[in-house]
């Protein structure tokens, strides 16, 4: 006899949201030459951020301030909200898990798009929620169908990312606001804006913290180039933000991460520069795709999703031929989206390799 | 109308396990001169660890390997177990939360000692468990009473730390092994060995991964001096370790933390040196206590708990008089333990300040 897991936990699969590039490298027994699959920012964090980490490395013996006071105040000032409208966490992944735990118990219906962020689904499954998935429409999340599903299922939680991962598409602020207006006030919207900094300003509704049914999530992992440091934050009405304190890991933040995120936020010049580089790299990936007769889907993120023009099996073959050629990319797997591969921005040298290898991969996949 | 929290979450208090020193500094409007309250290791991590963080700071744009492959393999080799017997997480706090979630749902009885680690209790409350608390006996966790409570309540989960926080006391390996042998096989023991490296070897049972009802938790936060980096690990039977993968945040680890922990594990010479310093600082804290007519409780940790010789109100007054004098310490709050204050090791300069201020604080408290 062994200790018995809670039935819900026992029933969960051992599958993981997605496999890391390091696991693929171990399996292939060789390193990738181009790391373009994880929607990281290969341009890296600002030199000022790297310097701050190095300067404070010796302070890593101290627990971080559990209130994230300095970072929360800096974010509040940057966003023109109160510190009590912000919760900081160990990446958006952690905040998604905490938000799901607040609104989901066994059998709770939760609405998302079919093929959207798998870690959100992982958390919903982990708390016993019942996922209602709405297909994309014209490669965008389908706002009106999401709304219909929320109402039909009386769902207390809906997930929508703008811009979207894995397609890179987006809605304008007006459309998002209409969606929010139409939501039942008892339905919490998680508006994932992880890629917000690389998106046009016209896609971002003004922050309205009087809305008690919207949690906006942002991150230092993408434009700020700090995926490895794990820092995200959610913005919302005070009452909803306070609920995170009931269950979050108060001493969970990394001390150097607090320092790095503060330094990153201060260096808005670097952010502007790097967003320029991301846009240029996006354009180059699109041009490479089109030079190979493929269609690049317009993107507001730090990646470009490329329509390989045939079915999912063909796109998977292209993906595998790229991986064999030391180019790490990923692909959407949901029906309708699975005809695509997804290529993250990176340094010119990495895009050179992608440019060289894509025609060979396409040839081999045919 | 607002979105409605799950009733369990709604019912939770907004209280936090404990307040950080930074919050106290903000309240006092002044910095502490001696940071001796959070059981950190003021001697800091090894120079080799600081150098590794600095060297790899620019890689912080990469997500960490979600499998923690290199660190898990290094730990496995160090501990003479298989990598599949180890799960790495963002500090023991996170692993405690995940373990509780595996075994606790609403109403589940969970046994711990009255006054033991509050973050464990926070997690138990957070998943709706019913805490059964067993008083300490002679300032040690009471193994036979813990066992009685487990059997009486048919509890699937029991927490025991060796050495103990907040008292610093410990049991010998033989006693711990007898306790494990006597536990029902359906009861999971969390054996928290956060302070294991500073304890006598005779207090640590041999690791036996054939035991499916023991999870041993260890950390890089204490002897290794990396509290701010957030890295802990659990050792157990493969089946129990695998269950963590069903719910853990696979991309939750900090990239620089993986690098720092690996470097720390490699530098066992430094660990030996720093444990020597910790023991010397412990001895000095005890001597300071005794020079002031107080009784230092023998400790196997990186702190010394000092019996102030009167009641809880008096010890609280001593604590507050120390805090007023810029000396950050904490104290146990449970009845029977609350006559004490708890002083973490630190640099000589900080213990000098403690030595100067303790007599003044005692005088002021009288």
């Amino acid at each position: 006899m062994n200790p018995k897991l809670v039935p819900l936990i026992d029933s969960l699969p051992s599958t993981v949201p997605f496999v890391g590039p390091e696991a693929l490298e171990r399996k292939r027994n060789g390193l990738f030459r181009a790391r373009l699959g994880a929607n990281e920012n290969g341009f890296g964090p600002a030199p000022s951020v790297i310097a701050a980490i190095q300067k404070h490395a010796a302070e890593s013996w101290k627990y971080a301030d559990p209130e994230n006071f300095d970072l929360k105040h800096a974010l509040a000032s940057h966003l023109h909200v109160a510190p009590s409208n912000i919760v900081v966490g160990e990446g958006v992944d952690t905040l998604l898990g905490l938000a799901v735990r607040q609104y989901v118990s066994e059998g709770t219906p939760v609405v998302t798009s079919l093929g959207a962020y798998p870690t959100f689904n992982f958390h919903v499954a982990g708390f016993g929620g019942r996922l209602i998935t709405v297909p994309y429409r014209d490669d965008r999340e389908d706002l009106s169908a999401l709304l219909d599903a929320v109402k039909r299922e009386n769902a207390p939680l809906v997930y929508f990312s703008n811009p979207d991962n894995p397609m890179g598409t987006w809605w304008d602020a007006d459309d998002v606001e209409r969606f929010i207006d139409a939501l039942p006030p008892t339905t919490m919207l998680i508006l994932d804006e992880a890629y917000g900094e690389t998106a046009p300003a016209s896609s971002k509704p003004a922050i309205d913290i009087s809305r008690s049914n919207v949690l906006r999530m942002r991150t230092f992992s993408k434009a700020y180039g700090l995926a490895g440091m794990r820092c995200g934050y959610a913005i919302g009405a005070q009452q909803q933000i306070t609920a995170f304190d009931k269950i979050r890991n108060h001493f969970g933040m990394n001390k150097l991460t607090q320092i790095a995120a503060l330094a990153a936020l201060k260096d808005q010049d670097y952010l502007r520069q790097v967003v320029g580089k991301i846009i240029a790299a996006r354009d180059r990936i699109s041009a490479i795709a089109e030079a190979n007769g493929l269609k690049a889907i317009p993107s507001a993120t730090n990646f470009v999703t490329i329509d390989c023009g045939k079915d999912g099996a063909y796109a998977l073959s292209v993906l595998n031929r790229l991986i064999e050629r030391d180019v790490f990319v990923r692909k959407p797997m949901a029906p309708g989206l699975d005809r695509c591969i997804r290529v993250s921005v990176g340094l010119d040298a990495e895009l050179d390799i992608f440019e060289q290898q894509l025609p060979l991969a396409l040839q081999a996949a045919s």
Side-chain angles (χ1 to χ4, degrees), chain A:
Chain A
M1 282 200 300
N2 292 332
K4 267 174 67 176
L5 295 174
V6 166
L8 167 62
I9 305 298
D10 197 36
S11 73
L12 295 173
S14 303
T15 51
V16 303
F18 32 77
V19 174
E22 295 80 9
L24 293 174
E25 288 178 330
R26 287 188 290 270
K27 198 173 153 196
R28 301 167 64 245
N29 202 19
L31 300 181
F32 286 116
R33 289 187 295 149
R35 185 174 165 118
L36 304 171
N39 294 352
E40 296 158 332
N41 174 357
F43 302 110
S48 62
V49 172
I50 296 168
I53 294 171
Q54 289 169 333
K55 181 179 170 193
H56 294 278
E59 289 169 47
S60 52
W61 63 272
K62 293 181 192 172
Y63 286 106
D65 171 20
E67 298 178 15
N68 297 297
F69 187 91
D70 294 340
L71 180 55
K72 248 174 28 178
H73 279 249
L75 284 167
S77 160
H78 183 69
L79 298 165
H80 308 292
V81 297
S84 55
N85 295 118
I86 294 172
V87 56
V88 170
E90 310 92 296
V92 163
D93 283 1
T94 292
L95 294 169
L96 286 174
L98 292 169
V100 166
R101 191 172 154 198
Q102 289 169 53
Y103 295 102
V104 176
S105 57
E106 292 191 51
T108 303
V110 177
V111 174
T112 186
S113 298
L114 180 64
Y117 193 45
T119 301
F120 177 74
N121 300 358
F122 175 78
H123 290 308
V124 171
F127 289 99
R130 185 167 56 85
L131 269 177
I132 316 293
T133 55
V134 172
Y136 280 63
R137 184 169 176 169
D138 300 333
D139 296 329
R140 290 203 291 183
E141 296 199 48
D142 187 340
L143 286 175
S144 66
L146 285 167
L147 184 62
D148 288 347
V150 162
K151 291 182 173 174
R152 188 181 68 239
E153 300 282 347
N154 195 18
L157 189 64
V158 55
Y159 175 88
F160 165 57
S161 60
N162 194 47
D164 169 74
N165 176 21
M167 301 309 281
T169 52
W170 69 100
W171 286 93
D172 282 338
D174 289 351
D175 298 302
V176 178
E177 276 170 355
R178 266 192 296 274
F179 176 68
I180 293 172
D181 285 340
L183 277 178
T186 51
T187 298
M188 177 57 86
L189 165 65
I190 295 180
L191 177 54
D192 185 342
E193 299 181 316
Y195 301 96
E197 290 83 1
T198 58
S202 61
S203 69
K204 278 170 282 193
I207 291 175
D208 176 2
I209 50 85
S210 74
R211 291 272 186 194
S212 61
N213 66 338
V214 180
L215 283 171
R216 295 171 79 154
M217 300 218 176
R218 298 188 181 174
T219 184
F220 286 91
S221 297
K222 304 299 177 185
Y224 287 104
L226 287 169
M229 297 304 282
R230 311 282 62 224
C231 187
Y233 54 101
I235 313 156
Q238 186 176 334
Q239 194 187 336
Q240 277 61 43
I241 292 297
T242 306
F244 283 86
D245 279 340
K246 296 180 169 198
I247 53 171
R248 74 184 177 92
N249 191 359
H250 288 265
F251 286 83
M253 282 295 290
N254 183 302
K255 172 92 176 162
L256 298 184
T257 298
Q258 288 180 337
I259 290 165
L262 259 175
L265 192 66
K266 271 186 194 145
D267 201 339
Q268 293 291 315
D269 278 349
Y270 180 82
L271 181 69
R272 271 184 291 274
Q273 284 171 44
V274 92
V275 168
K277 288 182 189 176
I278 288 169
I279 291 171
R282 227 159 59 185
D283 290 346
R284 184 169 172 208
I285 295 168
S286 300
I288 293 169
E290 277 153 28
N292 284 277
L294 307 179
K295 183 180 158 249
I297 295 169
S299 168
T301 64
N302 70 348
F303 61 85
V304 177
T305 297
I306 299 172
D307 183 344
C308 293
K310 299 187 189 170
D311 63 3
Y314 175 71
L316 184 62
S317 179
V318 173
L319 177 95
N320 286 331
R321 300 298 87 77
L322 283 168
I323 286 176
E324 282 166 15
R325 286 166 174 77
D326 304 333
V327 178
F328 170 55
V329 295
R330 284 202 177 114
K331 74 181 292 303
M333 297 304 283
L337 313 183
D338 61 352
R339 69 190 196 285
C340 300
I341 59 169
R342 195 194 69 181
V343 183
S344 309
V345 300
L347 300 176
D348 278 340
E350 291 183 288
L351 296 190
D352 289 347
I353 293 166
F354 174 65
E355 187 167 29
Q356 289 155 13
Q357 298 301 323
L358 181 62
L360 303 175
L362 290 168
Q363 200 172 8
S366 290

